[in-house]
Amino acid sequence: VDSNMQARVWYALATEYSKQEDYSSARDMCKKAMVVFEQMEDKHNYANCKNYLGFIDSHTGRLPEALEGLMAALVLYQELGDIYGQSLSYSSLGAVYMEIKDYQRAIINYSQSLELVRQLGQPMVEALGESNLANAYMEVGEVELALQNYIHAQQVFHQLGYYNR
């Protein structure tokens, strides 16, 4: 098995371990994959690993490490011009900032994510992003802005047939 394939398998295992909430194994697999992708100078898959490691760290309370990993992934996605990757990183950063109660930074990151998602034309992801942004606005008492985002998100969910959102 070549190195690239092995690294992809490790990354896939990381996501599976994470789904089972075995974050220690997920972290190990992700780090193994990162080493190979870095050696191969595969910036895109390396960025994906950094981003996923940030996700794992955020779910295990390692918030400073999560911020560091997500920011590093964001820089790589920006270098690569990967709009989807950037939107994912910004959204994940927003979630971490919500967790540490830095709501202004959460708003900034969720807004950046939403701006990029709109370029991709994915209404479901956009509606989820608007809900996240609305939650952050509620935390700082910006009820009108929150309501605007909630209403638009609800309209999109309904158009897509999700009436329970």
Side-chain angles (χ1 to χ4, degrees):
V1 179
D2 71 0
S3 299
N4 186 312
M5 184 57 70
Q6 183 63 60
R8 289 173 186 268
V9 168
W10 284 329
Y11 182 77
L13 284 170
T15 63
E16 289 305 312
Y17 279 126
S18 184
K19 288 175 188 172
Q20 297 170 19
E21 297 184 10
D22 181 353
Y23 295 114
S24 178
S25 296
R27 179 179 285 107
D28 291 344
M29 292 294 109
C30 201
K31 285 186 173 186
K32 287 173 100 168
M34 280 175 58
V35 169
V36 175
F37 289 135
E38 186 175 32
Q39 289 171 346
M40 297 176 64
E41 298 181 15
D42 182 340
K43 280 187 176 181
H44 189 261
N45 280 315
Y46 182 80
N48 289 343
C49 285
K50 281 297 252 187
N51 194 66
Y52 203 72
L53 198 54
F55 166 82
I56 293 167
D57 286 339
S58 72
H59 278 75
T60 56
R62 299 165 48 109
L63 302 178
E65 293 88 348
L67 288 173
E68 183 182 321
L70 293 167
M71 287 180 191
L74 175 60
V75 168
L76 290 169
Y77 286 135
Q78 288 169 333
E79 288 174 9
L80 296 166
D82 181 340
I83 292 173
Y84 179 77
Q86 290 175 61
S87 71
L88 190 60
S89 291
Y90 278 124
S91 181
S92 297
L93 283 164
V96 174
Y97 284 124
M98 286 291 285
E99 189 73 24
I100 61 175
K101 301 183 183 340
D102 187 341
Y103 302 119
Q104 291 301 330
R105 284 195 178 143
I107 289 168
I108 290 166
N109 282 278
Y110 282 146
S111 296
Q112 288 284 83
S113 176
L114 197 51
E115 187 178 312
L116 292 166
V117 164
R118 287 184 174 132
Q119 294 177 34
L120 298 172
Q122 295 182 343
M124 177 63 138
V125 178
E126 183 177 338
L128 290 169
E130 284 183 309
S131 293
N132 289 337
L133 183 56
N135 293 337
Y137 279 134
M138 285 298 291
E139 291 293 341
V140 296
E142 294 284 350
V143 179
E144 285 300 316
L145 289 171
L147 187 60
Q148 289 171 17
N149 281 277
Y150 283 136
I151 288 171
H152 189 259
Q154 182 185 35
Q155 290 169 345
V156 172
F157 286 134
H158 284 190
Q159 288 170 357
L160 297 172
Y162 295 93
Y163 298 102
N164 62 337
R165 293 271 179 171

